[in-house]
């Protein structure tokens, strides 16, 4: 997979995230979208359906649904069925608290539906310190319900310094349910910005994580850790930052961001409510066109691991005040620049109407 | 296993093909696998594949319409062998 292939742009994103609502009944300390309270201007059911129609027309294969807590939307099931009926596969991420018997029945009865339940530790102490009191028990309850129905779900675990030692236990837990473990990188996005320094895995842990991932090819990562491929061997996935190239994110009010971890005005290509809609933004936004052209320069350009790491994650650099042309703060060779040396990313503005 | 050109083939319902400038993308809903195809003629052929005639006849017609040569015909046939192995096309 090379940038060159993607320069001209894909007809539609491969990895499209739709954050359905900013409402959430929890307040996880690392929430990438700083969710909690619903916003008044969130897309209505009808607007959401038009958006889904557009995706179907563009032949979007599947979408990742998140939030906030997507299951809190009263039209959640209706909209998910609307996607599935139009041939769009769905994977939704949930904290599990709203997975009652009826919801579990619904999940188990649908084809091409994946469910990802968030759990950030193998013990209540570790998980609840991040996700809130009682959340471990409630997430496990949701898992039980799905497992009882023979449904194979995914457990999503954001890897932190504090839960790192529980990787094996998380893996065993997933296996016990016939589920798949998915590990995600902690990024300083949303509320994650406040906790990133004290929760990001240490260098030692990152190195172990790389080895652990190589030894556990059945563990999913959503391409989160490609910056660790620079240790020598490519981890599974496309090993590149897909922002605006293969990835994008529609937020609850219809803003189209380059990726779910950069919900900031300078990374918005526009709003689905404007003329041209989602497809217009994906195909014509100047920001996305720029991202497709852009390659990390600076130190990384002469690094012999460049083909494996491509300078790491744009979001992590941006929200730690680094230049996008600097190495990833978790650069395996310790080449990361100091925060604050940033020539900040210059927003290119939107393509207007 | 080579494709059987005497037989008709189709794209199974759980497979979706999307043309792209570099060729196209194929997604299998059942195992969530994504494939990159780097030949636009191959992708166009797949999009038109409707199982109405034997694969060999469909190929010959396609190649004639496009003015493709023998080498390109063989390349398409080889690619179809591989796609069958991946469950992207199947014998009717
Ligand atoms: S210098 Fe850049 S490309 Fe090389 S490993 Fe570090 S972040 Fe990756
Ligand atoms: S900015 Fe980071 S999280 Fe977003 S697509 Fe790029 S590498 Fe992935």
């Amino acid at each position: 997979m090379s940038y060159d292939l993607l320069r001209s742009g894909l007809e539609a994103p491969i990895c499209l995230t739709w954050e359905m609502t900013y409402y959430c009944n929890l307040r996880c300390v690392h929430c990438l979208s700083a969710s909690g309270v619903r916003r008044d201007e969130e897309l209505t059911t009808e607007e959401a359906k038009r958006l889904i129609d557009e995706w179907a027309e563009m032949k979007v294969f599947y979408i990742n649904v998140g939030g906030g807590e997507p299951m809190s939307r009263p039209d959640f099931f209706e909209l998910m069925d609307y996607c599935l009926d139009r041939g769009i596969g769905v994977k939704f991420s949930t904290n599990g608290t709203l997975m009652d018997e009826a919801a579990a029945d619904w999940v188990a009865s649908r084809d091409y539906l994946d469910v990802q339940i968030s759990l950030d530790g193998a013990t209540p102490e570790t998980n609840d310190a991040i996700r809130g009191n009682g959340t471990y028990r409630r997430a496990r309850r949701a898992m039980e319900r799905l497992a009882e129905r023979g449904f194979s779900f995914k457990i999503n675990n954001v890897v932190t310094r504090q839960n790192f030692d529980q990787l094996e236990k998380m893996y065993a837990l997933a296996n016990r349910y016939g589920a798949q473990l998915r590990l995600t990188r902690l990024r300083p996005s949303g509320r994650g910005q406040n906790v990133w320094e004290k929760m990001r895995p240490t260098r030692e842990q990152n190195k172990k994580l790389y080895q652990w991932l190589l030894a556990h090819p059945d563990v999913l990562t959503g391409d989160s850790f490609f910056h660790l491929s620079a240790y020598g061997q490519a981890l599974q996935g496309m090993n590149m930052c897909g922002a605006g190239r293969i990835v994008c994110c529609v937020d609850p009010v219809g803003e189209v961001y380059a990726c779910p971890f950069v919900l900031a005005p300078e990374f918005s290509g526009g709003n689905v409510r404007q003329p041209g809609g989602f497809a217009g933004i994906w195909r014509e936004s100047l920001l996305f066109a720029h991202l497709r052209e852009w390659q990390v320069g600076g130190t990384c350009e002469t690094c012999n691991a460049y083909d494996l790491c491509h300078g790491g994650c744009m979001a992590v650099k941006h929200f730690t005040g680094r230049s996008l042309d600097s190495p990833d703060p978790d650069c395996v060779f310790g080449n990361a620049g100091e925060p604050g040396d940033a020539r900040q990313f210059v927003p290119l503005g939107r393509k207007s109407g | 296993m080579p494709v059987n050109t005497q037989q008709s083939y189709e794209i199974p319902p759980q497979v979706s093909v999307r043309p792209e400038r570099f060729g196209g993308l194929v997604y299998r809903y059942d195992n969530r696998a994504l494939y990159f195809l780097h030949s636009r003629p191959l992708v166009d052929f797949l999009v038109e594949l409707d199982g109405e005639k034997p694969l060999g006849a469909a190929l010959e017609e396609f190649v004639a319409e496009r003015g493709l040569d023998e080498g390109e015909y063989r390349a398409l046939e080889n690619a179809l062998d591989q796609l069958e192995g991946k469950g992207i096309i199947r014998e009717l």
Side-chain angles (χ1 to χ4, degrees), chain A residues 18-21 38-55 70 72-83 86 251-254 272-273:
Chain A
W18 179 24
E19 315 279 34
M20 288 180 96
T21 178
R38 182 184 177 278
R39 281 177 46 187
D40 288 340
E41 335 83 83
E42 293 187 0
L43 299 182
T44 64
T45 307
E46 283 319 305
E47 285 177 312
K49 285 184 177 171
R50 279 206 295 279
L51 187 57
I52 295 165
D53 287 337
E54 245 195 295
W55 291 336
S72 72
R73 263 189 82 124
D75 55 7
F76 171 74
F77 300 101
E78 181 186 349
L79 290 175
M80 296 301 94
D81 277 336
Y82 195 84
C83 291
R86 272 148 197 79
D251 92 337
V253 301
V272 299
R273 283 171 169 143

Side-chain angles (χ1 to χ4, degrees), chain A residues 1 5 8 10-12 14 58-59 61-62 87 89 112-114 238, chain B residues 14 16-22 25-27 29-30 32 34 36 38:
Chain A
M1 194 62 212
L5 203 74
S8 53
L10 297 175
E11 294 296 322
I14 293 172
M58 294 171 80
K59 281 202 163 187
F61 301 127
Y62 60 89
Y112 310 143
L113 179 68
D114 284 328
M238 300 206 192
Chain B
Q14 69 274 14
S16 182
V17 181
R18 186 171 92 208
E20 294 285 353
R21 257 162 275 201
F22 62 83
L25 291 169
V26 174
Y27 184 64
Y29 288 91
D30 52 349
R32 276 63 160 169
L34 181 74
F36 287 78
H38 295 272

